[in-house]
Amino acid sequence: MRENIFNHDVAPVKMYREVAKENGDVSLVEVQGFNAIVRASKTNPYDTGQVVYVHPSSYYPIQLERLEEIAYELEQSGYKITGSGELKSNRLAFIELENEDLPNLTFEGTELSPKMWIGTSHDGSVALKSTIKIVDTVCMNSFMLNSASNILFKAKHTRNSDYRIEEYQNQLRIAKESITEYYEIVKRLQDTKWIRSENNKEFANVLGASMKPRKRKKDGKEYWTEKQYSGKHASQIADLNWSYDNSPGQESRGETAWRWFSAVTYWADHMISDRELESGSNILSGTRARQKAKAFNIAQSFTYNGFVNPL
């Protein structure tokens, strides 16, 4: 019998509210039309559970046992389970897998390795899905490809969470095409010279930051500053410049568009608050994930018609 990847699961339970009677007694009245999604231990009968979300009573959560079933079925076809976890206050669960048949890419300062990511959420933000996660093992930066697609299986969000694993060779073909296309862009970025003096402007584009006069107060009097970034954005741009200069692998990458993009991914993955990390900000559709995707598009556009020239 296989060991559980997760030691708990989720289930819908009825909710009740306290209602005070005229004589001072309190009774419990069922909340109609809604259920609480409770996460509780699979083996501890005394675990009363944690409410992770509230849904209409017609909603049935995808159980983590089903996610485990998919992972074990994929393991039988050649994948290796390499990690798992939960984010967003236990509202999102995921499992990561590797496969030796998927291609890697290595050059100075960079070692890219693909992982298959499968996950689901209990708050409706992520359906049962799979996608590709590329990890640079030099700096442990990550980037998700085709986060809106499903590569490994098709699933229906029903009470039984029916799913169908895609044929193995078809999985590999689709995954290899996506990974190879990404690697070709990465190589173009590495072959494109980057002008460091443009960092602030392009980092600001990633953040959506703008320079404008700011209202300040000194000695009780208000005044307007010269054009400048907000304090938050100025701090983030400084961190991004630090990442460009000092994060792992950067010196070996040289002054290239790939180095600039890697600065953003390092900042997004590692120079991040615990609260943002726990919320899943740097994966899928989180704020930092969107900033990584925007940076990738910016860097890629410069390989065609930007201010940079091929090395």
Side-chain angles (χ1 to χ4, degrees):
M1 185 174 179
R2 288 186 180 277
E3 254 184 64
N4 291 323
I5 297 173
F6 300 100
N7 60 10
H8 52 270
D9 217 323
V10 292
V13 298
K14 292 180 179 180
M15 296 192 301
Y16 297 84
R17 61 188 180 94
E18 293 183 344
V19 177
K21 298 180 179 179
E22 289 183 1
N23 63 4
D25 292 342
V26 175
S27 63
L28 296 178
V29 178
E30 183 181 342
V31 177
Q32 297 294 322
F34 290 90
N35 284 334
I37 307 303
V38 173
R39 171 184 180 272
S41 170
K42 293 179 179 179
T43 56
N44 180 4
Y46 301 104
D47 182 7
T48 57
Q50 169 201 13
V51 175
V52 294
Y53 213 70
V54 173
H55 278 289
S57 52
S58 59
Y59 177 93
Y60 197 84
I62 295 172
Q63 294 188 297
L64 301 185
E65 186 177 65
R66 185 51 51 98
L67 196 62
E68 292 174 337
E69 287 176 10
I70 294 172
Y72 290 137
E73 193 167 334
L74 291 168
E75 194 176 44
Q76 292 298 312
S77 63
Y79 290 88
K80 178 182 178 183
I81 298 171
T82 58
S84 63
E86 291 174 283
L87 297 168
K88 299 176 66 176
S89 299
N90 300 318
R91 297 196 302 273
L92 185 149
F94 67 90
I95 299 172
E96 292 182 345
L97 307 98
E98 294 180 354
N99 191 315
E100 292 181 353
D101 289 333
L102 295 176
N104 298 312
L105 176 64
T106 299
F107 54 85
E108 287 297 319
T110 295
E111 295 178 6
L112 300 183
S113 177
K115 292 178 179 286
M116 304 306 287
W117 187 99
I118 63 174
T120 189
S121 71
H122 314 312
D123 60 5
S125 61
V126 178
L128 183 59
K129 67 176 287 91
S130 62
T131 190
I132 303 169
K133 176 180 177 181
I134 304 293
V135 177
D136 189 336
T137 58
V138 170
C139 49
M140 299 311 295
N141 299 352
S142 65
F143 191 63
M144 282 188 158
L145 311 183
N146 299 326
S147 60
S149 67
N150 276 313
I151 292 173
L152 298 176
F153 55 84
K154 302 293 184 186
K156 295 180 180 178
H157 195 153
T158 62
R159 184 181 182 89
N160 296 320
S161 304
D162 297 327
Y163 67 90
R164 176 176 59 81
I165 301 290
E166 293 286 351
E167 194 272 326
Y168 181 66
Q169 291 303 323
N170 195 43
Q171 292 175 25
L172 288 183
R173 179 185 60 78
I174 296 171
K176 284 180 178 178
E177 286 176 358
S178 296
I179 294 167
T180 300
E181 181 181 1
Y182 177 70
Y183 287 171
E184 288 303 314
I185 296 171
V186 168
K187 287 187 280 189
R188 286 205 303 270
L189 295 180
Q190 181 60 15
D191 288 340
T192 301
K193 184 179 179 181
W194 186 265
I195 300 173
R196 193 191 189 286
S197 61
E198 298 288 342
N199 272 5
N200 284 1
K201 172 190 169 187
E202 300 310 331
F203 287 148
N205 284 340
V206 170
L207 300 172
S210 60
M211 294 187 74
K212 59 185 180 182
R214 309 280 171 176
K215 185 184 286 188
R216 299 287 185 264
K217 182 181 283 190
K218 185 176 182 180
D219 299 329
K221 295 182 179 180
E222 290 186 345
Y223 67 96
W224 290 91
T225 68
E226 297 294 323
K227 288 183 178 181
Q228 60 184 245
Y229 295 116
S230 69
K232 175 184 176 181
H233 284 150
S235 176
Q236 289 178 325
I237 290 170
D239 286 344
L240 283 159
N241 275 301
W242 183 94
S243 178
Y244 181 89
D245 289 328
N246 301 295
S247 59
Q250 290 293 71
E251 186 175 350
S252 298
R253 294 175 185 128
E255 300 289 337
T256 65
W258 174 244
R259 176 177 183 160
W260 180 83
F261 174 65
S262 295
V264 177
T265 55
Y266 183 87
W267 168 81
D269 284 341
H270 305 289
M271 302 176 75
I272 182 173
S273 69
D274 290 342
R275 180 182 60 80
E276 289 177 296
L277 196 62
E278 202 283 328
S279 73
S281 177
N282 63 330
I283 65 168
L284 297 176
S285 59
T287 299
R288 296 235 175 169
R290 293 195 302 270
Q291 289 167 334
K292 286 194 279 188
K294 188 173 183 179
F296 185 65
N297 290 335
I298 289 171
Q300 188 179 174
S301 71
F302 291 145
T303 66
Y304 302 113
N305 53 14
F307 61 82
V308 293
N309 297 309
L311 291 171

